[in-house]
Amino acid sequence: MNLELRQLRYFVAVAEELHFGKAALRLHMTQPPLSQTIAGLEELLGAPLFARSRRAVELTPAGAALLPEARRILAASSFLPMLVQRAAGGEAGRLSLAFVSSADYSVLPPFLRRYRAAFPQVSIALQEATSDVQIDDLLHGRIDTGLLIAPLPDKARLELDYLKVLTEPLIVALPAGVSTSAAGQAVALAALPPLPLIIFPRPIAPALHDAILACFRAAGITPEIGQEAIQMQTIVSLVSAGMGMALVPQSVSNLMRPGVEYRALRDPTPQVETGLAWRRDAVSPVLQGFLDLLRKNTDADPPDA
């Protein structure tokens, strides 16, 4: 069915005027082509839309049923240019964003608030995932971008671009009451009881795993690995249950759990870097708008936790 918007526009004009001559004047055309267009529309739809007589023009039941739908279609079509322009400018569409759990306690919430305020018409699909899963999803085009723990694997750097968003030190999460120092004071790893270590599996986050173990080696300690877990909230919950201690990025201290104390370390600690990765060949205007806003806010001020 080759139904044209022009036909619906002519039909609505006649239906509202109930007079072909007045409708023709309203449409800035002559009556014969208007009548021909309506006749063609009736033939296309397979039913008369108007009951015509010498004295009056009235809608048939079929015409009365068509009128509200025709108005709806015409109203919707009037928004198409704006929709297309917004999509081309990155102001409308869909963005799929993955994030590591630590980002949920640092950069993600404040930046999502800023992005939602700047681009309210964009639908955001959020997915929590570890860095290794994000990289695989990015390389296979399953997500647009991801907040992950640096660095990128060498192979991924060939296809992905990267922007540093946050650097922060490691701190220690302890079962409450384990440290004998005053609350809030920094502690030395060597001064703590030999608690089991709760840590990320190395295949999930090799850089973070190695950085944590390097802290213990520098302190002359060989920790006993008691549990492995892939989510920050799980690690902190295990600490809360008294099953061991964990070294976590500083922003994780925003995750409050009964029975957990967070302490800064006196020991030298490496900086944990969180950044955004995306496919180098990505051309999505929505993604470009997201990146532009992130760069602007990253340059302007440090992310608020």
Side-chain angles (χ1 to χ4, degrees):
M1 180 182 293
N2 297 319
L3 182 64
E4 300 178 9
L5 292 177
R6 174 182 61 89
Q7 293 172 301
L8 293 180
R9 190 167 62 253
Y10 289 5
F11 163 74
V12 169
V14 176
E16 292 177 347
E17 299 292 343
L18 291 179
H19 193 285
F20 277 82
K22 291 180 180 179
L25 289 174
R26 171 174 157 181
L27 294 167
H28 306 288
M29 62 187 302
T30 58
Q31 184 172 333
L34 174 59
S35 298
Q36 292 171 5
T37 300
I38 296 300
L41 178 61
E42 291 174 322
E43 182 178 354
L44 181 66
L45 297 177
L49 302 174
F50 296 100
R52 304 163 178 84
S53 69
R54 292 184 178 181
R55 294 184 177 181
V57 174
E58 296 180 351
L59 283 167
T60 64
L66 176 62
L67 182 57
E69 291 302 311
R71 285 172 172 156
R72 182 186 61 80
I73 293 170
L74 291 172
S77 69
S78 68
F79 288 104
L80 291 178
M82 183 183 299
L83 175 65
V84 170
Q85 291 164 13
R86 285 181 175 176
E91 298 177 16
R94 182 180 183 275
L95 178 76
S96 54
L97 168 64
F99 60 95
V100 290
S101 57
S102 58
D104 199 19
Y105 311 112
S106 56
V107 296
L108 184 63
F111 185 71
L112 285 180
R113 286 194 295 269
R114 293 168 180 166
Y115 185 72
R116 174 61 65 198
F119 298 94
Q121 300 300 317
V122 174
S123 170
I124 306 173
L126 294 173
Q127 171 188 335
E128 185 174 342
T130 55
S131 297
D132 60 322
V133 171
Q134 289 189 45
I135 289 169
D136 187 64
D137 285 347
L138 285 167
L139 293 175
H140 289 87
R142 291 189 286 265
I143 58 174
D144 296 316
T145 186
L147 278 165
L148 45 75
I149 302 295
L152 295 178
D154 290 340
K155 183 178 179 180
R157 291 177 187 176
L158 299 175
E159 297 184 51
L160 303 181
D161 278 336
Y162 174 82
L163 174 67
K164 180 175 72 174
V165 175
L166 173 69
T167 56
E168 55 184 334
L170 290 170
I171 61 173
V172 62
L174 299 165
V178 166
S179 175
T180 58
S181 61
Q185 289 187 353
V187 296
L189 288 174
L192 294 172
L195 298 171
L197 179 65
I198 303 168
I199 193 171
F200 282 93
R202 192 176 189 281
I204 299 297
L208 182 56
H209 182 100
D210 293 347
I212 290 171
L213 293 184
C215 286
F216 284 93
R217 284 196 300 269
I221 302 170
T222 302
E224 171 198 353
I225 296 179
Q227 294 283 336
E228 291 186 338
I230 65 173
Q231 302 294 345
M232 284 294 178
Q233 55 265 41
T234 304
I235 289 174
V236 173
S237 293
L238 292 172
V239 173
S240 175
M243 298 185 69
M245 64 177 172
L247 297 193
V248 297
Q250 185 178 51
S251 59
V252 176
S253 62
N254 292 314
L255 173 58
M256 304 304 297
R257 284 284 191 277
V260 177
E261 294 181 7
Y262 297 100
R263 299 292 186 92
L265 289 169
R266 294 178 186 173
D267 309 76
T269 59
Q271 294 289 307
V272 178
E273 182 176 308
T274 302
L276 194 78
W278 65 95
R279 288 190 62 87
R280 186 165 295 136
D281 59 2
V283 294
S284 164
V286 169
L287 176 59
Q288 291 305 313
F290 182 85
L291 295 174
D292 290 345
L293 186 63
L294 182 61
R295 290 188 182 102
K296 177 181 177 181
N297 284 280
T298 300
D299 293 341
D301 49 69
D304 50 334

